[in-house]
Amino acid sequence: VRWYSRIKSMLAGQLDLEAEERDAIAPWFEKIDDLLARWGTRGSKYATRVSEVDAWIKGTSPGQFEEALKSLGLMLGASAHRQNVAGAPDGVWVFGDYSVVIEAKSDADPDGAVSYDVVRQARMHEERATRDGLVPAGHDCMTLLVTPQTRLDTDARKIAGDIRVASLDDVARLFDRASNALSQVRALAVQRNEDSLVSKAADTYSRLGISSSALHADWMGKKLSDLA
């Protein structure tokens, strides 16, 4: 069932939303709708898929973790990409007005320090993702390093710039909130509450602190340069 296509006409004016708000919500909800269509609004496929992503994102296998990051981006309503080629970001999330390029080091030694080479690689991701057409030219873009490491090499600090950092636990907690939100929206879809599904979906994500604006303002880790 493609819920967005069934209620698209309501987005043209029947929902009690200002035009500007409607324009912002519609493409975000369409991505949520696409994901639910693929994962299923009925049956066991949805639970199986969520459990798989849960296991991958709470593990340390690089390939599985990166694939789970892509799924997490989709769950948050972003256009999400994983190129799986040398030199490319390990993940790209594109929201309506900003993008996130991700360098993931899920298997790094927790007792080690973030190295110069890792930071240098992360710094190249925005340019690479833009060149590859994944990040729109001129888009506000954040670089996020995901790592279990809590220390930063002295030389790496010199080039850290505005790179953000999130721990594996931070990402796991974000997944739990996204899973909760998506499951609530799925329940609304099953109940066929079509007249309020879009606005309730947006309200659910906002209430759980994972709307795209909340993620930009509050979640995107702390500055890498703030590590010890």
Side-chain angles (χ1 to χ4, degrees):
V1 177
R2 291 294 305 276
W3 291 98
Y4 179 76
S5 61
R6 293 182 61 183
I7 62 176
K8 190 173 182 180
S9 61
M10 287 185 284
L11 292 175
Q14 293 180 31
L15 287 177
D16 186 22
L17 296 172
E18 296 294 334
E20 187 172 320
E21 183 181 1
R22 201 167 59 237
D23 290 344
I25 292 176
W28 169 82
F29 182 79
E30 186 170 13
K31 294 179 180 65
I32 299 295
D33 176 64
D34 285 342
L35 185 63
L36 286 175
R38 285 188 281 117
W39 287 10
T41 54
R42 297 181 183 275
S44 61
K45 181 180 177 181
Y46 175 84
T48 299
R49 184 62 182 135
V50 170
S51 294
E52 181 180 57
V53 178
D54 181 57
W56 288 359
I57 212 158
K58 294 174 182 176
T60 58
S61 170
Q64 291 181 348
F65 187 83
E66 292 162 18
E67 192 62 30
L69 283 176
K70 177 182 176 181
S71 294
L72 176 57
L74 295 172
M75 294 168 74
L76 293 169
S79 295
H81 311 275
R82 179 192 176 213
Q83 292 176 277
N84 196 26
V85 295
D90 295 318
V92 179
W93 297 347
V94 181
F95 294 96
D97 54 1
Y98 72 94
S99 301
V100 183
V101 291
I102 305 170
E103 174 66 22
K105 295 295 181 186
S106 59
D107 60 344
D109 179 3
D111 295 326
V114 177
S115 70
Y116 177 92
D117 287 343
V118 167
V119 177
R120 181 178 58 83
Q121 183 178 19
R123 284 177 59 90
M124 299 170 64
H125 286 338
E126 179 180 349
E127 180 182 352
R128 173 65 183 267
T130 302
R131 187 171 70 245
D132 290 347
L134 300 180
V135 171
H139 225 217
D140 179 22
C141 189
M142 305 172 67
T143 299
L144 178 68
L145 172 64
V146 178
T147 177
Q149 296 176 328
T150 58
R151 295 186 296 113
L152 183 61
D153 179 84
T154 301
D155 289 336
R157 188 179 305 279
K158 298 174 183 177
I159 63 169
D162 290 329
I163 294 176
R164 316 299 288 186
V165 63
S167 70
L168 302 187
D169 286 342
D170 290 335
V171 174
R173 285 190 290 268
L174 179 60
F175 169 80
D176 288 341
R177 289 156 66 188
S179 176
N180 184 4
L182 187 64
S183 294
Q184 290 187 44
V185 174
R186 179 176 182 262
L188 291 171
V190 170
Q191 294 167 14
R192 299 179 182 271
N193 252 343
E194 299 178 39
D195 60 338
S196 59
L197 181 56
V198 176
S199 59
K200 284 186 176 180
D203 288 345
T204 298
Y205 274 69
S206 179
R207 174 169 45 81
L208 292 173
I210 55 171
S211 64
S212 62
S213 59
L215 290 172
H216 188 279
D218 302 326
W219 185 84
M220 287 299 170
K222 59 182 180 180
K223 290 188 71 172
L224 179 61
S225 58
D226 290 339
L227 293 185

